[in-house]
Amino acid sequence: MERSEIDFVESCAARVLAGETLDEETLYRLTEVNDPGAISLLEAKAEEITRKFCQKKFDTCSIVNARSGSCSENCKWCAQSAHFNTGCESYALVDRDEAFRVARYNAECGIGRFSLVASGRAVRGKSLESICALLKEIRTEDGINTCASLGLLDENELRLLWESGTHRYHCNLETAPSYFPKLCTTHTIEDKLATIDAAHRLGFEVCSGGIIGMGETRRQRMELAVTLRRARPVSIPINILSPIPGTPLENTPLIDEVEILITVALFRFAHPAVQLRFAGGRARLSREAMLKAMKIGINGAIVGDLLTTIGSTTDEDRKLVDEAGYEW
């Protein structure tokens, strides 16, 4: 074993457990740990940090695609971009009755939050008004908390959403600032942070994370974690790339389970008390890897179907949550 690496991980964990926020230089040094014994310790300490700072209640949410396809943005990972030929279903606005059916089912299953997610740079005008009205009805009739992911909204547009009773906003940073321009050129991370800052000014909770396995380095995944501190999220979704035929990333090699688990542990060191949420792409993981991820940091999940990639059933998720020692 590389004693210096083990000592370094021990030192970092002790600082976090004592309530200290690790500086960026230290976090980047953690990404360089490669000794198997030090990696095992990193994961064990991440589990200890999770137990100390996070609740036993597993945070669940479900999503419905409120507007699908025909997106003007050129994000290389996404099936919904109009720049790529993926065969993605396209529609202007989700059917109201279908949205209510899914929301009611989720509420009956004990899922904590229901979110409407829309393709496109931003949802504006009459479409935004319709989605706000729909969310208000769902919250009123089904009693489920609501969230929305409607793109790069400004403060006035976000105010309409706030007034509907939806007080959590989702806007993923997606990847490290140093890597983002290689994957998308139609908007920037600064555009996203401007929307997130506007949401905070109005009082929204923010949900913001990204996708791993798009060709980025481990250091760049930590760069994403560090940048997310600017977003001050209550929840960080960790998506795993599912390469989609027709997109520029269709032939991207799959990130392996070992690297996924290291990433979860590193994110827990960077964000000791934030919900780390399983999102798209997790269905390809082995049950063993999913359970381990939940022990070392994952304490929330998007459940059910996940936009353009297949998720898992609510019953399967409930069993997994129970087995990992959380409360549904």
Side-chain angles (χ1 to χ4, degrees):
M1 290 186 185
E2 182 59 51
R3 189 68 236 176
S4 61
E5 287 195 356
I6 290 175
D7 290 344
F8 178 61
V9 173
E10 284 274 16
S11 171
C12 291
R15 290 167 61 188
V16 175
L17 289 165
E20 185 177 339
T21 299
L22 296 182
D23 58 274
E24 293 181 22
E25 181 182 355
T26 299
L27 289 170
Y28 285 128
R29 280 186 62 197
L30 271 176
T31 68
E32 299 168 4
V33 169
N34 280 308
D35 175 76
I39 293 293
S40 293
L41 182 63
L42 181 79
E43 294 173 348
K45 290 299 181 180
E47 181 177 354
E48 193 174 338
I49 292 166
T50 300
R51 286 201 307 267
K52 178 167 183 177
F53 293 107
C54 300
Q55 297 179 356
K56 291 281 286 183
K57 176 75 174 175
F58 195 81
D59 191 84
T60 55
C61 65
S62 64
I63 57 179
V64 161
N65 212 0
R67 185 173 71 187
S68 181
S70 302
C71 180
S72 62
E73 308 306 284
N74 65 357
C75 308
K76 290 184 178 180
W77 60 84
C78 187
Q80 301 195 64
S81 172
H83 295 260
F84 318 128
N85 184 20
T86 64
C88 176
E89 181 183 9
S90 181
Y91 53 82
L93 199 63
V94 66
D95 177 74
R96 177 189 175 281
D97 292 340
E98 174 65 10
F100 265 93
R101 184 191 66 79
V102 176
R104 183 157 293 135
Y105 172 77
N106 289 327
E108 290 170 353
C109 288
I111 294 169
R113 190 174 294 100
F114 174 78
S115 182
L116 290 178
V117 180
S119 68
R121 183 180 179 89
V123 178
R124 296 196 162 100
K126 293 295 185 183
S127 294
L128 177 59
E129 292 173 10
S130 295
I131 286 178
C132 287
L134 179 55
L135 285 167
K136 185 175 183 177
E137 280 190 86
I138 287 171
R139 184 177 176 85
T140 301
E141 294 194 17
D142 292 331
I144 191 169
N145 289 323
T146 51
C147 174
S149 182
L150 308 177
L152 303 176
L153 303 188
D154 62 27
E155 192 165 333
N156 288 331
E157 291 160 341
L158 285 164
R159 187 173 287 108
L160 291 176
L161 187 63
W162 177 270
E163 290 170 352
S164 78
T166 293
H167 295 161
R168 180 177 288 199
Y169 196 71
H170 170 267
C171 183
N172 275 349
L173 298 189
E174 305 299 7
T175 192
S178 65
Y179 196 55
F180 190 89
K182 297 180 181 179
L183 298 176
C184 178
T185 61
T186 49
H187 62 273
T188 67
I189 280 185
E190 288 302 323
D191 292 330
K192 291 173 175 290
L193 286 168
T195 288
I196 289 169
D197 286 344
H200 276 301
R201 286 194 298 271
L202 291 169
F204 280 91
E205 293 182 341
V206 167
C207 177
S208 184
I211 308 170
I212 63 173
M214 296 194 290
E216 77 287 343
T217 64
R218 187 186 294 174
R219 182 183 175 89
Q220 285 172 320
R221 290 194 284 278
M222 180 57 81
E223 186 186 345
L224 169 61
V226 167
T227 308
L228 281 165
R229 287 179 169 180
R230 289 179 57 189
R232 292 176 285 138
V234 297
S235 172
I236 297 177
I238 298 177
N239 295 271
I240 303 163
L241 180 70
S242 294
I244 295 170
T247 66
L249 298 187
E250 64 179 332
N251 296 316
T252 303
L254 297 180
I255 184 173
D256 64 41
E257 291 187 342
V258 171
E259 196 61 36
I260 291 167
L261 291 171
I262 291 171
T263 299
V264 171
L266 289 170
F267 267 63
R268 180 51 75 204
F269 270 73
H271 296 273
V274 175
Q275 288 163 354
L276 299 182
R277 186 179 303 280
F278 259 153
R282 65 185 168 96
R284 72 171 176 84
L285 298 181
S286 66
R287 187 175 182 83
E288 180 184 23
M290 284 194 280
L291 283 169
K292 187 170 185 180
M294 291 165 73
K295 288 182 181 296
I296 67 176
I298 296 294
N299 60 333
I302 298 173
V303 298
D305 292 340
L306 306 177
L307 295 182
T308 56
T309 61
I310 296 172
S312 58
T313 69
T314 302
D315 285 344
E316 289 171 345
D317 286 330
R318 189 186 291 270
K319 291 175 185 176
L320 202 64
V321 166
D322 289 343
E323 193 171 338
Y326 289 100
E327 299 169 1
W328 182 263

